[in-house]
Amino acid sequence: MWRALALPSRLRVVSHLSHARSEAEATTFLAKFKARTDGWAPFFTSDQLPAYVAALITNYSTPASPPRKHGPGRPRKEPIRVVDTHLRYAQVDKRREGGRVVEVKRHILFGAADDLIQILETDGCGSQINTSYVERDNLTSRHSNGRLVRKTLSHSKKKDYLQRQLDLEDAIYNFVRPHSALRVKLRKPAAYGRRWQPRTPAM
């Protein structure tokens, strides 16, 4: 299950299912993400899956004519890809021993470190590149969607049915269920002494 989470709103932008974590599936997943956004390249963070790099270049680049070659040899016919200058991407590599995380490495593949830290601090996500928000969202999804639980009668056996259930879950998560981390304190207590205004990710 591939999922893109927008911060700081924690909005689930797209959920994509596949049988393999391949470059083709990563390209399809990011193409869906780009179609649901304004097309600008945001700041991406992910795990250490190598397929993301090629998928990002495919979706956030433009073809350009190769430079004219002087000298012997055949000229290059395939266009080169010019990566979007706004693209910023970092990977979080976690090394585990005995089921526990013992080391975390962060690799910046597109963009400058100072620029990425400034974006994180502006969005209120701290100053450390991480994937904790999407990992916590995966836990929320497994608790609210019985089809993601293994070795149970509710476990999905067909991709289409699971995709429909994920779409329903995303709609409830984005538009119906308030998120406790997004609530806003009221200036004056409302009726029945309520001090907080609940908000959903879409709000």
Side-chain angles (χ1 to χ4, degrees):
M1 184 178 70
W2 310 65
R3 175 166 285 160
L5 196 70
L7 296 177
S9 66
R10 295 172 173 82
L11 182 76
R12 291 179 184 174
V13 182
V14 61
S15 296
H16 174 70
L17 290 176
S18 68
H19 291 289
R21 301 188 72 193
S22 62
E23 182 179 322
E25 293 293 344
T27 303
T28 303
F29 166 64
L30 288 174
K32 290 182 179 180
F33 174 84
K34 187 176 181 180
R36 295 189 180 187
T37 58
D38 57 5
W40 287 87
F43 171 30
F44 288 98
T45 59
S46 73
D47 57 9
Q48 65 275 19
L49 184 67
Y52 282 124
V53 179
L56 284 169
I57 293 175
T58 301
N59 285 283
Y60 292 97
S61 65
T62 54
S65 301
R68 182 173 295 180
K69 182 179 180 181
H70 299 282
R74 293 183 179 180
R76 180 175 177 175
K77 293 184 178 180
E78 292 118 6
I80 59 176
R81 307 291 302 187
V82 179
V83 180
D84 190 347
T85 56
H86 298 92
L87 179 60
R88 298 170 181 87
Y89 174 56
Q91 286 186 346
V92 179
D93 185 5
K94 296 181 179 180
R95 185 170 63 87
R96 292 177 171 85
E97 289 183 1
R100 293 180 177 269
V101 177
V102 296
E103 185 181 12
V104 178
K105 293 183 180 180
R106 296 168 176 86
H107 309 285
I108 298 175
L109 302 176
F110 296 105
D114 295 339
D115 189 18
L116 301 187
I117 292 174
Q118 183 179 359
I119 294 174
L120 290 173
E121 292 177 346
T122 303
D123 291 342
C125 302
S127 59
Q128 195 75 272
I129 297 171
N130 63 77
T131 57
S132 59
Y133 289 94
V134 71
E135 289 169 0
R136 180 61 181 85
D137 183 75
N138 288 337
L139 177 62
T140 300
S141 183
R142 290 185 182 277
H143 275 275
S144 58
N145 191 346
R147 289 179 178 264
L148 299 178
V149 181
R150 291 173 293 181
K151 297 182 179 180
T152 61
L153 294 176
S154 61
H155 178 67
S156 279
K157 301 174 182 64
K158 292 186 178 181
K159 180 180 177 181
D160 292 340
Y161 292 153
L162 178 56
Q163 184 65 62
R164 294 172 189 172
Q165 186 67 27
L166 287 177
D167 294 339
L168 176 62
E169 181 202 347
D170 289 349
I172 295 173
Y173 174 87
N174 285 334
F175 297 100
V176 179
R177 182 180 299 159
H179 198 295
S180 60
L182 301 175
R183 64 180 186 173
V184 178
K185 191 170 185 178
L186 299 173
R187 294 183 180 179
K188 295 182 180 180
Y192 307 106
R194 184 164 59 89
R195 299 183 179 182
W196 299 90
Q197 173 63 46
R199 293 192 304 172
T200 66
M203 294 171 64

